Short mmCIF file of all heavy atoms in Angstrom, two decimals:
data_model
loop_
_atom_site.label_atom_id
_atom_site.label_comp_id
_atom_site.label_asym_id
_atom_site.label_seq_id
_atom_site.Cartn_x
_atom_site.Cartn_y
_atom_site.Cartn_z
N PHE A 419 -124.85 179.13 174.34
CA PHE A 419 -124.48 177.74 174.08
C PHE A 419 -123.20 177.65 173.25
O PHE A 419 -122.27 176.90 173.59
CB PHE A 419 -125.63 177.03 173.34
CG PHE A 419 -125.34 175.58 173.05
CD1 PHE A 419 -125.65 174.60 173.97
CD2 PHE A 419 -124.74 175.20 171.85
CE1 PHE A 419 -125.38 173.26 173.71
CE2 PHE A 419 -124.46 173.88 171.58
CZ PHE A 419 -124.78 172.91 172.51
N PHE A 420 -123.14 178.40 172.15
CA PHE A 420 -122.00 178.33 171.24
C PHE A 420 -120.68 178.68 171.94
O PHE A 420 -119.73 177.90 171.91
CB PHE A 420 -122.25 179.24 170.04
CG PHE A 420 -121.15 179.26 169.03
CD1 PHE A 420 -121.08 178.31 168.03
CD2 PHE A 420 -120.17 180.25 169.08
CE1 PHE A 420 -120.06 178.33 167.10
CE2 PHE A 420 -119.14 180.28 168.15
CZ PHE A 420 -119.08 179.32 167.15
N PRO A 421 -120.58 179.85 172.59
CA PRO A 421 -119.30 180.18 173.23
C PRO A 421 -118.93 179.25 174.37
O PRO A 421 -117.75 178.89 174.53
CB PRO A 421 -119.50 181.62 173.73
CG PRO A 421 -120.96 181.84 173.73
CD PRO A 421 -121.54 180.97 172.69
N VAL A 422 -119.90 178.82 175.19
CA VAL A 422 -119.61 177.92 176.31
C VAL A 422 -119.12 176.57 175.79
O VAL A 422 -118.13 176.01 176.28
CB VAL A 422 -120.84 177.75 177.21
CG1 VAL A 422 -120.62 176.63 178.23
CG2 VAL A 422 -121.16 179.05 177.92
N CYS A 423 -119.83 176.04 174.79
CA CYS A 423 -119.47 174.74 174.22
C CYS A 423 -118.04 174.75 173.67
O CYS A 423 -117.24 173.86 173.99
CB CYS A 423 -120.46 174.37 173.11
SG CYS A 423 -119.98 172.93 172.13
N PHE A 424 -117.73 175.74 172.89
CA PHE A 424 -116.41 175.74 172.25
C PHE A 424 -115.31 176.17 173.21
O PHE A 424 -114.16 175.76 173.05
CB PHE A 424 -116.45 176.63 171.00
CG PHE A 424 -117.15 175.99 169.87
CD1 PHE A 424 -118.50 176.21 169.66
CD2 PHE A 424 -116.48 175.13 169.02
CE1 PHE A 424 -119.17 175.59 168.62
CE2 PHE A 424 -117.14 174.51 167.97
CZ PHE A 424 -118.49 174.73 167.77
N ALA A 425 -115.65 176.95 174.24
CA ALA A 425 -114.66 177.29 175.27
C ALA A 425 -114.23 176.02 176.01
O ALA A 425 -113.02 175.79 176.23
CB ALA A 425 -115.24 178.31 176.24
N ILE A 426 -115.20 175.19 176.38
CA ILE A 426 -114.88 173.93 177.07
C ILE A 426 -114.11 173.00 176.15
O ILE A 426 -113.11 172.37 176.56
CB ILE A 426 -116.18 173.25 177.55
CG1 ILE A 426 -116.89 174.12 178.59
CG2 ILE A 426 -115.87 171.88 178.16
CD1 ILE A 426 -118.26 173.60 178.99
N TYR A 427 -114.54 172.91 174.91
CA TYR A 427 -113.89 172.01 173.96
C TYR A 427 -112.43 172.38 173.74
O TYR A 427 -111.52 171.52 173.84
CB TYR A 427 -114.65 172.03 172.63
CG TYR A 427 -114.04 171.16 171.56
CD1 TYR A 427 -114.21 169.78 171.56
CD2 TYR A 427 -113.28 171.72 170.53
CE1 TYR A 427 -113.64 168.98 170.58
CE2 TYR A 427 -112.70 170.93 169.55
CZ TYR A 427 -112.90 169.56 169.59
OH TYR A 427 -112.32 168.77 168.62
N TYR A 428 -112.17 173.64 173.46
CA TYR A 428 -110.79 174.06 173.18
C TYR A 428 -109.94 174.08 174.44
O TYR A 428 -108.72 173.88 174.38
CB TYR A 428 -110.78 175.42 172.48
CG TYR A 428 -111.22 175.33 171.04
CD1 TYR A 428 -112.44 175.87 170.63
CD2 TYR A 428 -110.44 174.67 170.10
CE1 TYR A 428 -112.86 175.76 169.32
CE2 TYR A 428 -110.86 174.57 168.78
CZ TYR A 428 -112.06 175.11 168.39
OH TYR A 428 -112.48 175.00 167.09
N LEU A 429 -110.55 174.30 175.58
CA LEU A 429 -109.81 174.20 176.84
C LEU A 429 -109.29 172.78 177.04
O LEU A 429 -108.12 172.58 177.42
CB LEU A 429 -110.72 174.61 178.01
CG LEU A 429 -110.09 174.51 179.42
CD1 LEU A 429 -108.90 175.45 179.53
CD2 LEU A 429 -111.13 174.81 180.49
N LEU A 430 -110.15 171.80 176.77
CA LEU A 430 -109.73 170.40 176.88
C LEU A 430 -108.66 170.06 175.85
O LEU A 430 -107.72 169.31 176.14
CB LEU A 430 -110.94 169.48 176.70
CG LEU A 430 -111.99 169.50 177.83
CD1 LEU A 430 -113.20 168.67 177.44
CD2 LEU A 430 -111.37 168.98 179.13
N ILE A 431 -108.79 170.63 174.66
CA ILE A 431 -107.79 170.38 173.62
C ILE A 431 -106.43 170.92 174.06
O ILE A 431 -105.40 170.22 173.95
CB ILE A 431 -108.22 171.03 172.29
CG1 ILE A 431 -109.43 170.30 171.70
CG2 ILE A 431 -107.06 171.02 171.29
CD1 ILE A 431 -109.18 168.90 171.22
N PHE A 432 -106.41 172.13 174.57
CA PHE A 432 -105.13 172.73 174.98
C PHE A 432 -104.56 172.05 176.23
O PHE A 432 -103.34 171.98 176.40
CB PHE A 432 -105.30 174.23 175.21
CG PHE A 432 -105.44 175.02 173.95
CD1 PHE A 432 -106.57 175.79 173.71
CD2 PHE A 432 -104.46 175.00 172.97
CE1 PHE A 432 -106.72 176.51 172.53
CE2 PHE A 432 -104.59 175.71 171.79
CZ PHE A 432 -105.72 176.47 171.57
N MET A 433 -105.43 171.56 177.09
CA MET A 433 -104.95 170.83 178.27
C MET A 433 -104.24 169.54 177.88
O MET A 433 -103.39 169.03 178.62
CB MET A 433 -106.12 170.53 179.22
CG MET A 433 -106.63 171.75 179.98
SD MET A 433 -108.11 171.38 180.97
CE MET A 433 -107.45 170.16 182.11
N GLN A 434 -104.61 169.00 176.72
CA GLN A 434 -103.99 167.76 176.26
C GLN A 434 -102.52 167.94 175.87
O GLN A 434 -101.82 166.96 175.63
CB GLN A 434 -104.76 167.19 175.06
CG GLN A 434 -106.06 166.52 175.44
CD GLN A 434 -106.70 165.81 174.26
OE1 GLN A 434 -106.36 166.04 173.10
NE2 GLN A 434 -107.62 164.92 174.54
N LEU A 435 -102.07 169.20 175.80
CA LEU A 435 -100.67 169.43 175.49
C LEU A 435 -99.76 168.89 176.59
O LEU A 435 -98.59 168.57 176.34
CB LEU A 435 -100.42 170.93 175.29
CG LEU A 435 -101.16 171.57 174.10
CD1 LEU A 435 -100.91 173.07 174.07
CD2 LEU A 435 -100.72 170.94 172.78
N LYS A 436 -100.31 168.77 177.80
CA LYS A 436 -99.57 168.14 178.89
C LYS A 436 -99.74 166.63 178.80
O LYS A 436 -100.86 166.13 178.66
CB LYS A 436 -100.07 168.65 180.24
CG LYS A 436 -99.84 170.14 180.46
CD LYS A 436 -100.31 170.56 181.83
CE LYS A 436 -100.04 172.05 182.07
NZ LYS A 436 -100.50 172.48 183.42
N GLU A 437 -98.65 165.92 178.89
CA GLU A 437 -98.66 164.48 178.63
C GLU A 437 -99.59 163.73 179.59
O GLU A 437 -100.35 162.86 179.17
CB GLU A 437 -97.24 163.93 178.76
CG GLU A 437 -97.16 162.45 178.37
CD GLU A 437 -95.74 161.92 178.39
OE1 GLU A 437 -94.80 162.74 178.52
OE2 GLU A 437 -95.58 160.71 178.28
N LYS A 438 -99.56 164.07 180.88
CA LYS A 438 -100.39 163.36 181.85
C LYS A 438 -101.87 163.60 181.57
O LYS A 438 -102.69 162.68 181.66
CB LYS A 438 -100.04 163.80 183.26
CG LYS A 438 -98.65 163.35 183.72
CD LYS A 438 -98.41 163.75 185.16
CE LYS A 438 -97.04 163.27 185.63
NZ LYS A 438 -96.77 163.67 187.04
N VAL A 439 -102.19 164.84 181.26
CA VAL A 439 -103.59 165.15 180.95
C VAL A 439 -104.02 164.44 179.67
O VAL A 439 -105.13 163.93 179.57
CB VAL A 439 -103.78 166.68 180.80
CG1 VAL A 439 -105.21 167.01 180.39
CG2 VAL A 439 -103.43 167.38 182.10
N TYR A 440 -103.11 164.39 178.68
CA TYR A 440 -103.41 163.74 177.40
C TYR A 440 -103.73 162.26 177.62
O TYR A 440 -104.70 161.74 177.07
CB TYR A 440 -102.23 163.88 176.45
CG TYR A 440 -102.42 163.16 175.14
CD1 TYR A 440 -103.18 163.73 174.13
CD2 TYR A 440 -101.83 161.91 174.91
CE1 TYR A 440 -103.37 163.08 172.93
CE2 TYR A 440 -102.01 161.25 173.72
CZ TYR A 440 -102.77 161.83 172.73
OH TYR A 440 -102.96 161.18 171.54
N VAL A 441 -102.93 161.59 178.43
CA VAL A 441 -103.16 160.17 178.72
C VAL A 441 -104.50 159.97 179.39
O VAL A 441 -105.26 159.06 179.05
CB VAL A 441 -102.02 159.60 179.59
CG1 VAL A 441 -102.34 158.17 180.02
CG2 VAL A 441 -100.70 159.63 178.83
N PHE A 442 -104.81 160.84 180.35
CA PHE A 442 -106.08 160.72 181.09
C PHE A 442 -107.28 160.96 180.17
O PHE A 442 -108.24 160.17 180.16
CB PHE A 442 -106.10 161.73 182.24
CG PHE A 442 -107.39 161.75 183.00
CD1 PHE A 442 -107.67 160.80 183.97
CD2 PHE A 442 -108.35 162.74 182.74
CE1 PHE A 442 -108.86 160.81 184.65
CE2 PHE A 442 -109.55 162.76 183.43
CZ PHE A 442 -109.81 161.79 184.39
N THR A 443 -107.23 162.05 179.40
CA THR A 443 -108.37 162.37 178.53
C THR A 443 -108.55 161.34 177.42
O THR A 443 -109.67 161.05 177.01
CB THR A 443 -108.19 163.76 177.89
OG1 THR A 443 -106.92 163.82 177.21
CG2 THR A 443 -108.25 164.85 178.96
N LYS A 444 -107.44 160.78 176.93
CA LYS A 444 -107.53 159.74 175.90
C LYS A 444 -108.11 158.46 176.47
O LYS A 444 -108.96 157.80 175.85
CB LYS A 444 -106.14 159.47 175.31
CG LYS A 444 -105.78 160.34 174.12
CD LYS A 444 -106.65 160.00 172.91
CE LYS A 444 -106.23 160.80 171.69
NZ LYS A 444 -107.11 160.50 170.53
N LYS A 445 -107.64 158.09 177.65
CA LYS A 445 -108.09 156.83 178.25
C LYS A 445 -109.57 156.86 178.57
O LYS A 445 -110.30 155.90 178.31
CB LYS A 445 -107.28 156.57 179.52
CG LYS A 445 -107.65 155.25 180.22
CD LYS A 445 -106.80 155.04 181.45
CE LYS A 445 -107.18 153.73 182.15
NZ LYS A 445 -106.35 153.50 183.38
N TYR A 446 -110.03 157.95 179.14
CA TYR A 446 -111.43 158.05 179.55
C TYR A 446 -112.30 158.81 178.56
O TYR A 446 -113.47 159.06 178.82
CB TYR A 446 -111.51 158.71 180.93
CG TYR A 446 -110.87 157.87 182.01
CD1 TYR A 446 -109.60 158.18 182.49
CD2 TYR A 446 -111.51 156.75 182.53
CE1 TYR A 446 -109.00 157.41 183.48
CE2 TYR A 446 -110.92 155.97 183.51
CZ TYR A 446 -109.66 156.31 183.98
OH TYR A 446 -109.07 155.53 184.95
N ARG A 447 -111.70 159.21 177.43
CA ARG A 447 -112.41 159.85 176.32
C ARG A 447 -113.24 161.04 176.82
O ARG A 447 -114.44 161.16 176.56
CB ARG A 447 -113.28 158.83 175.60
CG ARG A 447 -112.51 157.65 175.04
CD ARG A 447 -113.32 156.78 174.15
NE ARG A 447 -113.75 157.48 172.96
CZ ARG A 447 -114.47 156.91 171.98
NH1 ARG A 447 -114.79 155.63 172.08
NH2 ARG A 447 -114.84 157.59 170.94
N VAL A 448 -112.57 161.90 177.54
CA VAL A 448 -113.22 163.04 178.17
C VAL A 448 -113.87 163.97 177.14
O VAL A 448 -114.99 164.45 177.33
CB VAL A 448 -112.20 163.83 179.04
CG1 VAL A 448 -112.85 165.08 179.61
CG2 VAL A 448 -111.68 162.94 180.15
N ILE A 449 -113.15 164.22 176.05
CA ILE A 449 -113.69 165.14 175.03
C ILE A 449 -114.94 164.56 174.39
O ILE A 449 -115.94 165.27 174.19
CB ILE A 449 -112.62 165.44 173.97
CG1 ILE A 449 -111.46 166.22 174.59
CG2 ILE A 449 -113.22 166.22 172.80
CD1 ILE A 449 -110.34 166.55 173.62
N ASP A 450 -114.92 163.27 174.08
CA ASP A 450 -116.11 162.64 173.48
C ASP A 450 -117.28 162.66 174.45
O ASP A 450 -118.43 162.91 174.05
CB ASP A 450 -115.78 161.21 173.08
CG ASP A 450 -114.83 161.13 171.90
OD1 ASP A 450 -114.78 162.11 171.13
OD2 ASP A 450 -114.13 160.12 171.74
N LEU A 451 -117.02 162.40 175.72
CA LEU A 451 -118.09 162.44 176.72
C LEU A 451 -118.64 163.85 176.86
O LEU A 451 -119.85 164.04 177.05
CB LEU A 451 -117.56 161.94 178.06
CG LEU A 451 -117.27 160.43 178.15
CD1 LEU A 451 -116.58 160.09 179.46
CD2 LEU A 451 -118.55 159.62 177.99
N MET A 452 -117.74 164.86 176.78
CA MET A 452 -118.20 166.24 176.83
C MET A 452 -119.11 166.56 175.66
O MET A 452 -120.17 167.19 175.83
CB MET A 452 -117.00 167.19 176.84
CG MET A 452 -117.35 168.67 176.99
SD MET A 452 -117.85 169.51 175.44
CE MET A 452 -116.32 169.47 174.52
N LEU A 453 -118.72 166.10 174.47
CA LEU A 453 -119.55 166.36 173.28
C LEU A 453 -120.89 165.67 173.37
O LEU A 453 -121.92 166.21 172.95
CB LEU A 453 -118.80 165.90 172.02
CG LEU A 453 -117.59 166.76 171.60
CD1 LEU A 453 -116.87 166.13 170.41
CD2 LEU A 453 -118.03 168.17 171.24
N ILE A 454 -120.91 164.45 173.92
CA ILE A 454 -122.18 163.74 174.10
C ILE A 454 -123.06 164.51 175.09
O ILE A 454 -124.27 164.70 174.85
CB ILE A 454 -121.94 162.31 174.60
CG1 ILE A 454 -121.27 161.47 173.52
CG2 ILE A 454 -123.27 161.65 175.01
CD1 ILE A 454 -120.83 160.10 173.97
N GLY A 455 -122.47 164.96 176.19
CA GLY A 455 -123.23 165.70 177.19
C GLY A 455 -123.79 167.00 176.64
O GLY A 455 -124.97 167.31 176.85
N ILE A 456 -122.97 167.75 175.93
CA ILE A 456 -123.42 169.03 175.39
C ILE A 456 -124.45 168.80 174.29
O ILE A 456 -125.39 169.59 174.12
CB ILE A 456 -122.22 169.86 174.86
CG1 ILE A 456 -122.54 171.35 174.89
CG2 ILE A 456 -121.79 169.45 173.48
CD1 ILE A 456 -122.40 171.98 176.24
N SER A 457 -124.33 167.71 173.53
CA SER A 457 -125.30 167.38 172.48
C SER A 457 -126.64 166.98 173.09
O SER A 457 -127.70 167.35 172.58
CB SER A 457 -124.77 166.25 171.59
OG SER A 457 -123.60 166.64 170.90
#
């Protein structure tokens, strides 16, 4: 659980370095939805 959870989380964080991905993840709150799902 721990490695999978944080691998997905940090992957999404690093993907946000691209402007288009950042806009998409911010608009649809992908990281927050991922945290809710994993929780």
Side-chain angles (χ1 to χ4, degrees):
F419 181 89
F420 180 85
V422 171
C423 170
F424 285 93
I426 297 173
Y427 178 78
Y428 286 110
L429 178 62
L430 291 173
I431 290 293
F432 286 121
M433 287 175 63
Q434 284 188 343
L435 296 176
K436 296 182 178 180
E437 185 176 350
K438 291 183 179 179
V439 177
Y440 176 80
V441 173
F442 176 80
T443 55
K444 271 292 184 182
K445 181 179 180 180
Y446 295 102
R447 302 190 64 178
V448 175
I449 294 179
D450 290 336
L451 289 173
M452 184 278 293
L453 289 175
I454 292 172
I456 206 80
S457 296

